[in-house]
């Protein structure tokens, strides 16, 4: 297989609380740049990235794109994006506990002299420097297990070869499965969602709520749903679900978590959401931070109702687990194939935590879906009470969280120099949440 899921290079028990700017910039960062500076410099040249100046602990340091690498300069750089960090933020940032985006979602990022796109681009350059994750690559291709061009829009049924499914997931960063869950089970789950919904209240810590056009507020996410859905519990404990997990696992090792508590969540996607965390624009699950502690885990979606361009759907950018495409670029000018996944009830979608994905908003009717996550086996994925976890549970109302309808499409993979050029602009901009 072309891609190993386990990209973890850091452990929480090794985290340092008080990394000092001078020690890091003068002594630690040069070694990283010797290994990965060329990857970051290539991306900086492609995006014409402005320098980054960091103010922390009374010191000022700058990262300046310079030819084949990124230069480290004491003091401020001209025309730079300037980010001011507390001592705790600085330690978290240099250890990939939090990204700039993670701080922004947590309502705690102070910056000037740049745009949201600059912040997003430096998040990508920074992960390239820290972890060697390339941002651009004109030679990237998609191949099936036999070495032929990958049919990027295909679906897989229960009778397809397990090795082909596992390979597709690692090559493309997602996979679409059809015919794996019986329609009567899906119908029962939908009824159990209706029955469970009245048991949630806003502010209970177990649900998310959104405002719709008529001013009412609706529950849009049910956590701990497995405790209220016997059908879901039976599904997740079934031999067929274990078989699916083994197929997705391939040559990697996935964790097996107890079927209880917050193992799965049920989502309602109503029409006409005007604010609140209902449909999220393009993001990675690791974009807030902790990529090098937890990736690549899997998010599995179970379609309860149909999804398409009219009633909302999952869209992914194929291969974005292999290139650290800036999130803000993904929203406007993706340079990898954009795939819209139209699903039928019972379809299963799988995407990796590093894969860029979004949910588009329903136009004609409500959509229902369930999501569960399967982490890698081994060391701790997320420390309890972690700041990334809290940021996910407390979305910033200033950050757009609702997407408008966009044309469903699969964008072809450009070749040569065209691949690094923008191949499309999405028709509508995200509405302010």
């Amino acid at each position: 297989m072309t891609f190993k899921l386990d990209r973890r290079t850091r452990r929480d028990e090794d985290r340092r609380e008080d990394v000092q700017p001078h020690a890091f910039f003068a002594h630690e960062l040069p070694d990283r740049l010797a290994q990965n500076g060329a990857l970051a410099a290539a991306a900086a040249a492609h995006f014409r990235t402005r320098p980054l100046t960091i103010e922390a602990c009374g010191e000022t340091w700058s990262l300046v794109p310079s030819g084949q690498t990124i230069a480290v300069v004491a003091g401020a750089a001209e025309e730079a994006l300037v980010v001011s960090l507390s001592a705790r933020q600085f330690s978290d940032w240099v250890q990939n506990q939090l990204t700039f985006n993670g701080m922004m979602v947590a309502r705690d990022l102070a910056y000037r002299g740049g745009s949201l796109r600059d912040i997003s681009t430096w998040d990508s350059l920074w992960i390239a420097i820290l972890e060697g994750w390339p941002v651009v690559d004109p030679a990237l291709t998609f191949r099936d297990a036999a070495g032929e061009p990958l049919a990027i829009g295909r679906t897989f049924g229960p009778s397809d070869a397990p090795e082909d499914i596992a390979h597709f997931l690692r090559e493309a960063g997602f996979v679409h499965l059809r015919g794996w869950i019986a329609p009567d089970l899906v119908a029962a789950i939908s009824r159990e969602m209706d029955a469970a919904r009245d048991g949630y209240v806003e502010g209970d810590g177990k649900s998310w709520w959104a405002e719709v056009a008529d001013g009412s507020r609706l529950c849009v996410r049910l956590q701990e749903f497995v405790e209220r859905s016997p059908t879901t519990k039976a599904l997740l404990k079934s031999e067929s679900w274990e078989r699916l997990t083994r197929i997705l696992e391939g040559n990697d090792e996935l964790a097996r978590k107890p079927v209880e508590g917050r193992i799965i969540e049920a989502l309602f996607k109503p029409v006409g959401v005007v604010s609140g965390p209902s449909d999220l624009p393009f993001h990675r699950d690791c974009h807030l931070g902790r990529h090098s502690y937890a990736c690549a885990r899997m998010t599995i979606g179970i379609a309860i109702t149909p999804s398409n361009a009219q009633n909302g759907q999952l869209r992914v950018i194929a291969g974005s687990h292999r290139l650290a495409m800036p999130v803000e670029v993904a929203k406007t000018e993706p340079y990898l194939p954009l795939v819209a996944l139209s699903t039928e009830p019972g379809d299963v979608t799988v995407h990796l935590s590093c894969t860029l994905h979004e949910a588009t908003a329903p136009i004609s009717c409500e959509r229902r879906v369930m999501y569960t996550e399967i982490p890698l086996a081994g060391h701790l994925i997320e420390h309890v009470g972690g700041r990334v976890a809290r940021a996910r549970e407390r979305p910033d109302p200033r950050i757009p969280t609702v997407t408008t309808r966009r044309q469903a499409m699969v964008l072809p993979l450009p070749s040569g120099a065209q691949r690094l050029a923008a191949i499309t602009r999405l028709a509508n901009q995200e509405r302010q949440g």
Side-chain angles (χ1 to χ4, degrees):
M1 296 181 186
T2 59
F3 183 82
K4 287 286 291 180
L5 294 183
D6 196 345
R7 308 175 79 172
R8 297 172 297 184
T9 61
R10 300 171 186 264
R11 299 171 66 96
D12 278 311
E13 51 264 43
D14 299 327
R15 180 184 175 276
R16 294 170 291 164
E17 294 288 342
D18 58 350
V19 180
Q20 296 299 307
H22 184 273
F24 179 78
F25 283 115
H27 302 296
E28 294 185 38
L29 186 57
D31 289 340
R32 292 284 183 179
L33 289 171
Q35 296 175 355
N36 303 323
L39 291 177
H46 174 70
F47 295 115
R48 298 181 180 179
T49 306
R50 67 175 67 220
L52 171 66
T53 293
I54 297 293
E55 299 173 337
C57 305
E59 300 182 38
T60 302
W61 292 82
S62 294
L63 300 176
V64 182
S66 177
Q68 298 301 308
T69 190
I70 304 293
V72 181
V73 180
E78 293 184 0
E79 299 183 352
L81 166 67
V82 182
V83 178
S84 300
L85 302 176
S86 68
R88 181 62 177 270
Q89 285 178 318
F90 181 79
S91 290
D92 283 345
W93 178 64
V94 300
Q95 296 174 94
N96 191 225
Q97 286 280 347
L98 280 176
T99 62
F100 291 157
N101 181 264
M103 297 175 202
M104 179 171 290
V105 171
R107 315 177 196 187
D108 200 23
L109 183 70
Y111 70 96
R112 63 186 186 274
S115 64
L116 188 59
R117 183 185 175 100
D118 294 322
I119 292 170
S120 180
T121 301
W122 267 108
D123 269 345
S124 290
L125 266 62
W126 191 237
I127 200 68
I129 292 170
L130 290 182
E131 302 297 333
W133 187 0
V135 182
V136 294
D137 180 5
L140 187 145
T141 60
F142 296 90
R143 298 287 175 179
D144 64 19
E148 297 299 319
L150 194 72
I152 206 72
R154 73 167 293 185
T155 61
F156 292 87
S159 62
D160 283 309
E163 57 270 24
D164 289 341
I165 296 172
H167 177 90
F168 188 102
L169 174 61
R170 287 154 177 79
E171 186 79 353
F174 74 96
V175 68
H176 182 181
L177 308 172
R178 175 159 289 165
W180 293 73
I181 300 176
D184 61 326
L185 294 182
V186 174
I189 291 170
S190 187
R191 291 192 296 270
E192 290 167 0
M193 288 176 66
D194 287 328
R197 195 174 191 174
D198 290 341
Y200 293 82
V201 294
E202 190 163 8
D204 60 11
K206 299 182 293 185
S207 56
W208 278 4
W209 295 69
E211 182 179 338
V212 293
D214 65 4
S216 60
R217 295 187 63 78
L218 301 177
C219 181
V220 296
R221 185 180 78 158
L222 311 179
Q223 288 185 332
E224 301 178 13
F225 177 66
V226 73
E227 308 296 350
R228 297 163 171 82
S229 174
T231 307
T232 302
K233 179 168 286 191
L235 171 65
L236 297 183
K237 288 186 172 183
S238 68
E239 175 54 35
S240 62
W241 189 263
E242 173 60 22
R243 174 178 178 260
L244 174 59
T245 302
R246 290 196 303 267
I247 290 172
L248 298 174
E249 195 168 41
N251 294 331
D252 294 281
E253 185 179 359
L254 299 178
R256 302 299 195 273
K257 299 197 295 184
V259 182
E260 61 187 29
R262 298 195 173 187
I263 185 70
I264 198 166
E265 58 187 26
L267 281 70
F268 299 88
K269 304 280 190 175
V271 175
V273 171
V274 295
S275 68
S278 180
D279 297 291
L280 299 176
F282 274 116
H283 63 286
R284 292 183 176 90
D285 294 332
C286 62
H287 189 51
L288 303 183
R290 297 183 57 80
H291 164 80
S292 53
Y293 296 82
C295 286
R297 55 202 187 274
M298 296 182 189
T299 296
I300 301 180
I302 301 172
I304 307 302
T305 59
S307 73
N308 51 52
Q310 283 299 307
N311 75 325
Q313 61 190 160
L314 176 70
R315 305 202 318 168
V316 297
I317 296 182
S320 53
H321 64 308
R322 296 159 64 184
L323 297 182
M325 181 187 300
V327 169
E328 292 304 309
V329 172
K331 294 176 182 178
T332 55
E333 299 173 317
Y335 47 88
L336 289 168
L338 190 157
V339 185
L341 302 180
S342 295
T343 58
E344 300 173 358
D347 279 11
V348 175
T349 63
V350 185
H351 65 267
L352 301 181
S353 51
C354 306
T355 301
L356 286 161
H357 59 283
E358 72 166 358
T360 62
I363 300 297
S364 60
C365 59
E366 177 190 78
R367 179 164 74 96
R368 298 184 179 192
V369 62
M370 293 196 302
Y371 281 108
T372 186
E373 184 177 275
I374 304 182
L376 294 164
H379 57 265
L380 187 64
I381 295 301
E382 176 86 71
H383 55 288
V384 176
R387 287 176 297 287
V388 167
R390 290 199 300 271
R392 287 195 181 104
E393 294 301 309
R394 188 185 178 213
D396 189 342
R398 297 172 299 177
I399 306 298
T401 56
V402 180
T403 59
T404 54
R405 187 182 71 146
R406 301 187 181 98
Q407 183 180 2
M409 66 185 84
V410 176
L411 299 179
L413 180 67
S415 59
Q418 290 179 328
R419 184 172 306 150
L420 296 183
I423 58 176
T424 187
R425 282 191 177 274
L426 304 179
N428 299 308
Q429 298 297 318
E430 284 70 29
R431 289 183 292 178
Q432 181 69 35

